[in-house]
Each structure stands twice: as structure tokens, then as C-alpha cells.
């Protein structure tokens, strides 16, 4: 490296040229160093995924052992095996993707078992692919000399058919030139299922809560047996391909200033408890826009714990791009920590009402009855304003709801001194008084709803079907389920038929530009012509 004294000894023109050369060399060194860091990160990620893959294969072997099988009912064992097969398929996709981005030349070719031909008794439908132009460069017309045929399994409820994708071969006898239409892109590369069949499997599993072993039986009755291990592989690969769309949906959600949040427990079988069959209580968190928001979106997130850190991570509160807005929740303390990060808390009035409803329903409490009358008036006002613009909604709340709340608050304070310490009545009153500012936040902001019922309604269909995915089996399986359910339920609340939506997305996703992924989000989606 040339010293400062040597540089100063050069004439100005030479010194400038030398400084430019040194700057260029430094920039190249930084580029090489950054490339090396990225390559090291990619390699570490590949090794992590490969290790997880090996662990899952060991778990799959353990799950099929006679000792373990004896501890579970056949249905539970099937659910676990489905999960492991889906996890392995999803991991394979992620490993291949990372290896491709890292330019890994040393990767080994995956050995694919020879696929049995589709049954001849299934009806066939030809889909012909021909080149747009069959005129050779020399000006002569090319001759069709043959074709390639790829068969894909299609499914309409109750009926299997086979799509024969026929790609004609065209050749010029003069130039010996051969052309052929390209192979159509597919969400599962070289796979046999059409987007329709994949959509059917995903909707049945994640919206209708039909485990794969039940779908296997349904397909067999329809005329073609598809092994549940094959179905599980398809689910895993679709989950990996749909994840960028789910990430875009979460980003869209964080652009809005008022969100709902809620959580519900689900059972997960952790690897360390595989042999004794004990389950761990995990949680499915849900986040969604309000019912008054024209953008209808819900995102589910599967987490191992009920910690408030999960909420902070989803809202990215510890990053420069932290979400800033009002979060509507129940009274769970895990949400409280978000208020120290700039989030405004608004709590659910319906939860406070339930405390008094329990008093009335169980004990015919007079305090409970009178409190319910106040809530009845408040919710009647909300029904009057729910279709109005935000500013008008706030104006009416300020004029009507504020007066009701003021009288209600004075009445609660008076009753607090009359009821026995430690009684159920005192606990119901204290629940409201301690959260009064949060419970009445809706009066100050027309965009804030009075309750968290909207998000609870979104999570209720999930809770009803969770017995059919009792064993999330792994954190990966739970996250995959949450991702697919986010798209299906968002499509549903936007008025779309979930099957039609996910089928169209699976058809378009392989060729859709990543820079325009937002076009496929449920609230922006329109079916391809």
C-alpha cells in the first residue's frame, strides 16, 4: 500500500489517478467480502436445513416403530406421519432453493422413484401446446414429426380425470431444425397433480379440516388411490411455494393503523416427547384488519408459547420499521408489553361484558343484570353507526356513547364499595375499572371497534377443526398450516370461493413476477381470464 508521503510526492494528475485506483480496489475488496459473508450465511442455512431434514427422517423412523405405534390410536399415528412427510417435502424445496441461489455445484441429484402410469380407465382430456410460429428461418413451413405427452392427474369433486399435455414436435427438413412449445410451468416441478387437485387437497385439509388419511379414502372411492405420503409431500411443497405470498399478506396487514389480535391453544407433539406421546400446548395467534376496513385480511401465526414476544416479533416492534397503531385485544397481559413500544392499546368491551353476563346467568345477580343494560345500550349505538364513515362514527360516539360510559363508570365505582371483597362481583367490576381507558378507546377513534369479536369470529372455524390436526408435529408443520389458512380465510372474508382462489393462485404463481406478488393477495385478486 502506498503511503501518504509517497502520494504527496506525486504530481496532482498522477495523485488523482492513484487515489481513484485505490478507491476502486477498496470497493472491489468490500464487494468480495460481502459476497463471502453472503455465501457463508447461505451455507450455514443449508447446513441447518439439512440437519433438520436428517432429524425429521429419524423422527419418521421412530414414529413407525412398533413401540411408539402402540401408544397412539391409528388416527393419531396417521396425523403424525402426514406431518412428517409434509415437513420433509417442504424442507427439500427450501434446501434446493437455497442451493440454487448459492450456486452450489456440489449438490447431489435427488433420486426420484419411478412413477407408475396413471390408470387407463380414467377419462383423458388433451391440452395441446404448439409453437406460436412453425415457419423456419429459411422461409419454409416446418413439418410435425411427433409429440411429447405428459399426463397430469386432475380432480373435480368426486371425479378424477387425466390431462394429457401434448407438445407437438415440428422440424424443418431443409435446415434440420426442431422446435417445440415449452413445458408449462407448474407449482410442483415435474409433479402429476394439476392445480385443481392441489387446491382440493389444501382446502379439504386446512379449511374443511379433513386429515390426509381421510382424503386418501375419499380419493380411493372416486376411482384412484393416492397414498397419504404422496398427499403429504404435495402439501409440504405447496406450503413452501405459498410462503412468499403469506409474507406479503403480513406486510399488507402491518400497513394499517388499527388491528385486532387474539390467540387460541393447539396441541403440538414435540420431538422430545415423541416416544411417550405427550403433547405440548402451542398457540395459534391471529391478526386481522377491522370489519370497517375495506381491506379484509387475516394472518395466522403458529408459535410454541403464549409469550408477548410473539406479538412484538410479528409487529416488528424492535426494528426501525416498527408498527405504530392501535391494537384491539382481550385483557391478556401478554399484549401489555407492546404499549411500551409505541402501540396504543384498545381492549374488548365484549370481554368485560361476559364477566357480568356470567354473574347474571349463574347467580341471577342484580349487579350483573344492571351492567348488562348499559352494555345493551352501547352495542345498540354501535349497530347504528357500523356502516357510517369513520368521522361520523366518532361524532355519534362522542355524543351518545360517552354519556352512557360516564354514567356507567360512576355506577361501577359506587357498586365497588358495596360488594364483598374477593367476590365474583368485585372481580367483574375490577376487570372493567382497571382497564377503563383501554375499554373506552373506541370513543376517541372512529376506526377502533368496540370489541374484539371480529377476530374471534375468524379464529373460531380454526378452533372447531383443530382436533383433526391434533399433532402439529413440529413448529414447521404448525407454521405451514397457519400460512395456508391465512390465505384461505382471507379469501373467504373477501367474498371469494376459497377453492377457486387457491386454484388460480397455484396456476399463476410459478410464472408470476415476484415484484407483483401483491396482485395475488386475496383482497386484490381477480380470477385470470
Amino acid at each position: 500500500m502506498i503511503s501518504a508521503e509517497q502520494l504527496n510526492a506525486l504530481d496532482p494528475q498522477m495523485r488523482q489517478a492513484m487515489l481513484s485506483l485505490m478507491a476502486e480496489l477498496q470497493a472491489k475488496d468490500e464487494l468480495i467480502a460481502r459476497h463471502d459473508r453472503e455465501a457463508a450465511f447461505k451455507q450455514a442455512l443449508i447446513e441447518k436445513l439439512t440437519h433438520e431434514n436428517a432429524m425429521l427422517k429419524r423422527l419418521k423412523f421412530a414414529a413407525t416403530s412398533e413401540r411408539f405405534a402402540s401408544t397412539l390410536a391409528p388416527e393419531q399415528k396417521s396425523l403424525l406421519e402426514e406431518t412428517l412427510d409434509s415437513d420433509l417435502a417442504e424442507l427439500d424445496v427450501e434446501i434446493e432453493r437455497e442451493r440454487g441461489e448459492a450456486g452450489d455445484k456440489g449438490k447431489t441429484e435427488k433420486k426420484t422413484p419411478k412413477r407408475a402410469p396413471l390408470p387407463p380407465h380414467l377419462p383423458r382430456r388433451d391440452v395441446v401446446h404448439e409453437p406460436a410460429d412453425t415457419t423456419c428461418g429459411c422461409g419454409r413451413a416446418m413439418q410435425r414429426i411427433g409429440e411429447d405427452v405428459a399426463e397430469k392427474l386432475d380432480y373435480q369433486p368426486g371425479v378424477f380425470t387425466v390431462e394429457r399435455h401434448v407438445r407437438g414436435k415440428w422440424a424443418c427438413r431443409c435446415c434440420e431444425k426442431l422446435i417445440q412449445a415449452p413445458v408449462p410451468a407448474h407449482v410442483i416441478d415435474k409433479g402429476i397433480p394439476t392445480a385443481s387437485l392441489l387446491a382440493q387437497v389444501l382446502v379439504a385439509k386446512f379449511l374443511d379440516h379433513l386429515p390426509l388419511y381421510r382424503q386418501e379414502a375419499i380419493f380411493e372411492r372416486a376411482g384412484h388411490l393416492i397414498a397419504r405420503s404422496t398427499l403429504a409431500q404435495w402439501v409440504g411443497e405447496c406450503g413452501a411455494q405459498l410462503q412468499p405470498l403469506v409474507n406479503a399478506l403480513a406486510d399488507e396487514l402491518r400497513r394499517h393503523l388499527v388491528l385486532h389480535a387474539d390467540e387460541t391453544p393447539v396441541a403440538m407433539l414435540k420431538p422430545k416427547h415423541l416416544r411417550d406421546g405427550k403433547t405440548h400446548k402451542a398457540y395459534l395467534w391471529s391478526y386481522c384488519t377491522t370489519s370497517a376496513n375495506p381491506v379484509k385480511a387475516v394472518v395466522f401465526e403458529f408459535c410454541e408459547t403464549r409469550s408477548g414476544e410473539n406479538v412484538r416479533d410479528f409487529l416488528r416492534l424492535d426494528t426501525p420499521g416498527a408498527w405504530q397503531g392501535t391494537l384491539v385485544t382481550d385483557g391478556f397481559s401478554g399484549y401489555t408489553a407492546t404499549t411500551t413500544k409505541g402501540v396504543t392499546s384498545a381492549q374488548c368491551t365484549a370481554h368485560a361484558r361476559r364477566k357480568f353476563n356470567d354473574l347474571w346467568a349463574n347467580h341471577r345477580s342484580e349487579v350483573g343484570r344492571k351492567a348488562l343494560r348499559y352494555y345493551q345500550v352501547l352495542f345498540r349505538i354501535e349497530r347504528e353507526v357500523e356502516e357510517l364513515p369513520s368521522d361520523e362514527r366518532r361524532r355519534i360516539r362522542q355524543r351518545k356513547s360517552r354519556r352512557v360510559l360516564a354514567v356507567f363508570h360512576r355506577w361501577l365505582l359506587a357498586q365497588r364499595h358495596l360488594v364483598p371483597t374477593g367476590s365474583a362481583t368485585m372481580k367483574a367490576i375490577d376487570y372493567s375499572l382497571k382497564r377503563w381507558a383501554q375499554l373506552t378507546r373506541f370513543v376517541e377513534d372512529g376506526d377502533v371497534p368496540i370489541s374484539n369479536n371480529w377476530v374471534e369470529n375468524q379464529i373460531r372455524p380454526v378452533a372447531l377443526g383443530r382436533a383433526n390436526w391434533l399433532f402439529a408435529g413440529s413448529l414447521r408443520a404448525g407454521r405451514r398450516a397457519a400460512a395456508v389458512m391465512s390465505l384461505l380465510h382471507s379469501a373467504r372474508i373477501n367474498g371469494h370461493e376459497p377453492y377457486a382462489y387457491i386454484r388460480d393462485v397455484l396456476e399463476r404463481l410459478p410464472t408470476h413476477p415476484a415484484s407483483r406478488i401483491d396482485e395475488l393477495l386475496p383482497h386484490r385478486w381477480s380470477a385470470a381470464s
Side-chain angles (χ1 to χ4, degrees), residues 209-256:
H209 310 296
L210 278 178
L212 297 183
Y213 72 87
R214 293 184 188 168
Q215 294 191 52
E216 180 184 41
I218 292 171
F219 290 147
E220 185 176 14
R221 291 199 304 270
H224 181 60
L225 175 64
I226 307 175
R228 75 192 68 172
S229 59
T230 300
L231 295 173
Q233 289 175 355
W234 295 350
V235 169
E237 292 188 46
C238 287
Q241 299 294 351
L242 290 170
Q243 190 58 53
L245 186 58
V246 180
N247 294 341
L249 183 62
D251 289 340
E252 172 66 35
L253 206 65
R254 286 186 286 263
R255 295 189 185 103
H256 297 271

Side-chain angles (χ1 to χ4, degrees), residues 55-74 76-85 88 228-229 269 274-275:
M55 291 291 293
L56 285 174
K57 287 180 179 178
R58 288 180 59 192
L59 288 175
K60 184 178 179 182
F61 175 77
T64 58
S65 67
E66 184 176 347
R67 177 185 172 186
F68 176 71
S70 65
T71 66
L72 295 177
Q76 293 174 328
K77 183 170 177 288
S78 295
L79 287 170
L80 180 58
E81 289 174 353
E82 291 171 13
T83 294
L84 293 173
D85 285 332
L88 287 167
R228 75 192 68 172
S229 59
L269 185 63
L274 186 61
R275 295 195 179 277

Side-chain angles (χ1 to χ4, degrees), residues 55-177:
M55 291 291 293
L56 285 174
K57 287 180 179 178
R58 288 180 59 192
L59 288 175
K60 184 178 179 182
F61 175 77
T64 58
S65 67
E66 184 176 347
R67 177 185 172 186
F68 176 71
S70 65
T71 66
L72 295 177
E75 295 83 1
Q76 293 174 328
K77 183 170 177 288
S78 295
L79 287 170
L80 180 58
E81 289 174 353
E82 291 171 13
T83 294
L84 293 173
D85 285 332
S86 296
D87 282 0
L88 287 167
E90 184 178 357
L91 269 171
D92 284 340
V93 172
E94 290 189 19
I95 291 171
E96 290 304 312
R97 180 190 296 153
E98 296 299 333
R99 280 177 169 164
E101 292 179 2
D104 189 349
K105 305 298 183 183
K107 64 179 179 182
T108 57
E109 289 296 326
K110 182 181 177 183
K111 293 182 180 179
T112 305
K114 188 174 181 180
R115 181 184 298 140
L118 293 172
H121 70 271
L122 295 179
R124 259 66 177 171
R125 177 170 61 88
D126 285 0
V127 181
V128 180
H129 308 274
E130 300 291 0
D133 186 4
T134 56
T135 302
C136 184
C138 66
R140 298 189 180 187
M142 306 180 83
Q143 305 296 315
R144 200 174 192 276
I145 61 170
E147 63 188 25
D148 287 331
V149 178
E151 293 193 333
K152 293 192 177 293
L153 187 64
D154 193 23
Y155 181 81
Q156 299 297 328
V159 180
F160 275 113
T161 57
V162 176
E163 279 187 1
R164 297 178 72 249
H165 289 259
V166 182
R167 299 165 54 239
K169 297 179 179 179
W170 294 77
C172 178
R173 298 186 184 278
C174 174
C175 305
E176 298 185 355
K177 179 182 178 182

Side-chain angles (χ1 to χ4, degrees), residues 271-400:
K272 65 181 180 180
H273 295 310
L274 186 61
R275 295 195 179 277
D276 56 24
K278 292 181 180 178
T279 58
H280 162 77
K281 184 185 286 188
Y283 285 85
L284 189 71
W285 298 76
S286 57
Y287 307 89
C288 69
T289 52
T290 66
S291 60
N293 193 326
V295 174
K296 300 290 188 291
V298 57
V299 173
F300 298 105
E301 190 173 58
F302 185 88
C303 301
E304 287 189 277
T305 70
R306 203 186 182 194
S307 168
E309 291 182 6
N310 298 314
V311 185
R312 294 197 295 274
D313 289 344
F314 179 82
L315 298 178
R316 298 179 177 174
L317 298 184
D318 296 319
T319 68
W323 181 76
Q324 300 290 306
T326 301
L327 191 64
V328 186
T329 68
D330 57 24
F332 172 51
S333 60
Y335 298 111
T336 307
T338 62
T339 59
T340 63
K341 302 287 185 177
V343 173
T344 301
S345 172
Q347 293 193 17
C348 175
T349 304
H351 274 76
R353 179 191 177 280
R354 286 172 200 162
K355 309 292 184 183
F356 294 102
N357 186 69
D358 290 343
L359 291 177
W360 170 246
N362 297 329
H363 309 293
R364 286 296 184 263
S365 164
E366 190 63 20
V367 172
R369 186 186 68 82
K370 290 184 178 179
L372 289 177
R373 295 294 298 273
Y374 286 107
Y375 286 114
Q376 186 179 23
V377 175
L378 290 171
F379 279 95
R380 185 187 302 131
I381 296 170
E382 287 304 302
R383 287 193 293 272
E384 294 172 1
V385 302
E386 61 184 354
E387 301 295 335
L388 298 178
S390 175
D391 291 343
E392 182 68 10
R393 191 181 305 120
R394 181 182 181 276
R395 187 184 67 78
I396 294 176
R397 285 173 174 175
Q398 289 277 318
R399 183 165 56 89
K400 294 184 177 181

